[in-house]
Amino acid sequence: MSLFRANPNAMIKFLDLQAINHQYKAELEEACSRVINSGWYISGTEVGAFEQKFASYCGVKHCVGVANGLDALILIFRAYKELGQLHDGDEVLVPANTYIASILAISANNLVPVLIEPNEHSYNLDAGLLEQHLNPKTKAILAVHLYGQLADMPAIITFAKKHHLLVVEDAAQAHGASIGGKKAGNWGHAAGFSFYPGKNLGALGDAGAVTTNDAALATMVRSLGNYGSEVKYHNTFKGINSRLDELQAALLSVKLRHLDVEIERRRAIANAFLNGIKNPKIQLPYIEQQEQHVWHLFVIQVDNRATFQSYLTEKGIQTVIHYPIPPHKQKAYSELNKLSFPLTEKIHEQILSLPISPVLIDAEVQKIINIVNGY
């Protein structure tokens, strides 16, 4: 795997986007030239081609490109409201330890997020806790595939069918993850993806998509993201401007061709960490099956996180905290600040993400293992 590093002895970056994209430099440059020379930059053939490719990759009938991952989720819930399947004040069950975007998408639609503690091993929504949060206002579940591992979708889908609930996947971190061959984006009624540059399938800017097997939902999402219009200058809904750019679509088509290879490299690095890190102070990630996890992040837990992170920095390893403050403790959601979610709060206080970039070389992986074990 070709690398683009000025100094191999420099700090190991958490995510070296320059090196990742340099592997495909010629293909990316050709895609850029193709778009520039086309003279068509919005809603053209590149977007249509990527939508078709990504729908096929996920195993769904429809993919709608949008401006970013948050818009993808917002538009899904908005579309269900326009279709009469959700209404103001309806409740959506969602894991308490997710990134705030999941919660923002719910509240932006005048829906009510009902926070649920995660499974302590997988960090994903604990399907066993859904029943106790169910009431007549419960209308949907937002299943977040955190860190690249699918939530327990068979159990969530079974519960949702029993109680006639919509299931939306927040698949922003799980491109390519699957259970029994069924990929993220094809489990729920709809799914929102982010192609933020740092994702496993990352654009060179903001980008997102909605996947679904529901033709009516796909049409509504596309209309809402295009000023509420299906026909130019005829606006049926009060929509927004949220469209995938031609340029980003062309770049994503290039990156999609290499996604599965990059996932396998991530899995190889994760296996090396899981087998090589033996420090009893470190709690390693838990996985049900290898296919469920695409290792967007390799998240460990450790007491005295600040001390450990400083130690790694001094030893030349860059790490990131995903995420330091849970949504219910954010100032933006002051109405939730008094709620208590002990497991979620512990997770947010102790988790730390190690580098797991697909361009890490074996020597760097071993260096990380040795330094973590030396703590």
mmCIF file with all atom_site columns, all heavy atoms in Angstrom, residues 80 282 343 352:
data_model
loop_
_atom_site.group_PDB
_atom_site.id
_atom_site.type_symbol
_atom_site.label_atom_id
_atom_site.label_alt_id
_atom_site.label_comp_id
_atom_site.label_asym_id
_atom_site.label_entity_id
_atom_site.label_seq_id
_atom_site.pdbx_PDB_ins_code
_atom_site.Cartn_x
_atom_site.Cartn_y
_atom_site.Cartn_z
_atom_site.occupancy
_atom_site.B_iso_or_equiv
_atom_site.pdbx_formal_charge
_atom_site.auth_seq_id
_atom_site.auth_comp_id
_atom_site.auth_asym_id
_atom_site.auth_atom_id
_atom_site.pdbx_PDB_model_num
ATOM 1  N N   . TYR A 1 80  ? -40.850 11.395 6.690  1.00 0.00 ? 80  TYR A N   1
ATOM 2  C CA  . TYR A 1 80  ? -41.891 10.590 7.339  1.00 0.00 ? 80  TYR A CA  1
ATOM 3  C C   . TYR A 1 80  ? -43.011 11.475 7.890  1.00 0.00 ? 80  TYR A C   1
ATOM 4  O O   . TYR A 1 80  ? -44.183 11.062 7.924  1.00 0.00 ? 80  TYR A O   1
ATOM 5  C CB  . TYR A 1 80  ? -41.289 9.730  8.452  1.00 0.00 ? 80  TYR A CB  1
ATOM 6  C CG  . TYR A 1 80  ? -40.662 8.459  7.925  1.00 0.00 ? 80  TYR A CG  1
ATOM 7  C CD1 . TYR A 1 80  ? -39.346 8.120  8.240  1.00 0.00 ? 80  TYR A CD1 1
ATOM 8  C CD2 . TYR A 1 80  ? -41.379 7.586  7.114  1.00 0.00 ? 80  TYR A CD2 1
ATOM 9  C CE1 . TYR A 1 80  ? -38.766 6.948  7.764  1.00 0.00 ? 80  TYR A CE1 1
ATOM 10 C CE2 . TYR A 1 80  ? -40.817 6.422  6.630  1.00 0.00 ? 80  TYR A CE2 1
ATOM 11 C CZ  . TYR A 1 80  ? -39.507 6.109  6.960  1.00 0.00 ? 80  TYR A CZ  1
ATOM 12 O OH  . TYR A 1 80  ? -38.946 4.961  6.465  1.00 0.00 ? 80  TYR A OH  1
ATOM 13 N N   . ILE A 1 282 ? -6.264  -1.731 30.221 1.00 0.00 ? 282 ILE A N   1
ATOM 14 C CA  . ILE A 1 282 ? -6.971  -1.338 28.999 1.00 0.00 ? 282 ILE A CA  1
ATOM 15 C C   . ILE A 1 282 ? -8.131  -2.289 28.734 1.00 0.00 ? 282 ILE A C   1
ATOM 16 O O   . ILE A 1 282 ? -7.948  -3.496 28.650 1.00 0.00 ? 282 ILE A O   1
ATOM 17 C CB  . ILE A 1 282 ? -6.018  -1.358 27.781 1.00 0.00 ? 282 ILE A CB  1
ATOM 18 C CG1 . ILE A 1 282 ? -4.753  -0.543 28.055 1.00 0.00 ? 282 ILE A CG1 1
ATOM 19 C CG2 . ILE A 1 282 ? -6.747  -0.874 26.535 1.00 0.00 ? 282 ILE A CG2 1
ATOM 20 C CD1 . ILE A 1 282 ? -5.003  0.914  28.382 1.00 0.00 ? 282 ILE A CD1 1
ATOM 21 N N   . LEU A 1 343 ? -23.954 4.563  32.815 1.00 0.00 ? 343 LEU A N   1
ATOM 22 C CA  . LEU A 1 343 ? -23.082 3.833  31.899 1.00 0.00 ? 343 LEU A CA  1
ATOM 23 C C   . LEU A 1 343 ? -22.602 4.750  30.774 1.00 0.00 ? 343 LEU A C   1
ATOM 24 O O   . LEU A 1 343 ? -21.414 4.768  30.432 1.00 0.00 ? 343 LEU A O   1
ATOM 25 C CB  . LEU A 1 343 ? -23.813 2.618  31.317 1.00 0.00 ? 343 LEU A CB  1
ATOM 26 C CG  . LEU A 1 343 ? -23.025 1.793  30.296 1.00 0.00 ? 343 LEU A CG  1
ATOM 27 C CD1 . LEU A 1 343 ? -21.698 1.319  30.871 1.00 0.00 ? 343 LEU A CD1 1
ATOM 28 C CD2 . LEU A 1 343 ? -23.853 0.598  29.826 1.00 0.00 ? 343 LEU A CD2 1
ATOM 29 N N   . LEU A 1 352 ? -11.202 6.156  24.582 1.00 0.00 ? 352 LEU A N   1
ATOM 30 C CA  . LEU A 1 352 ? -10.150 6.797  23.807 1.00 0.00 ? 352 LEU A CA  1
ATOM 31 C C   . LEU A 1 352 ? -9.964  5.995  22.525 1.00 0.00 ? 352 LEU A C   1
ATOM 32 O O   . LEU A 1 352 ? -9.947  4.765  22.544 1.00 0.00 ? 352 LEU A O   1
ATOM 33 C CB  . LEU A 1 352 ? -8.842  6.810  24.605 1.00 0.00 ? 352 LEU A CB  1
ATOM 34 C CG  . LEU A 1 352 ? -7.673  7.589  23.990 1.00 0.00 ? 352 LEU A CG  1
ATOM 35 C CD1 . LEU A 1 352 ? -7.954  9.086  24.019 1.00 0.00 ? 352 LEU A CD1 1
ATOM 36 C CD2 . LEU A 1 352 ? -6.385  7.282  24.730 1.00 0.00 ? 352 LEU A CD2 1
#
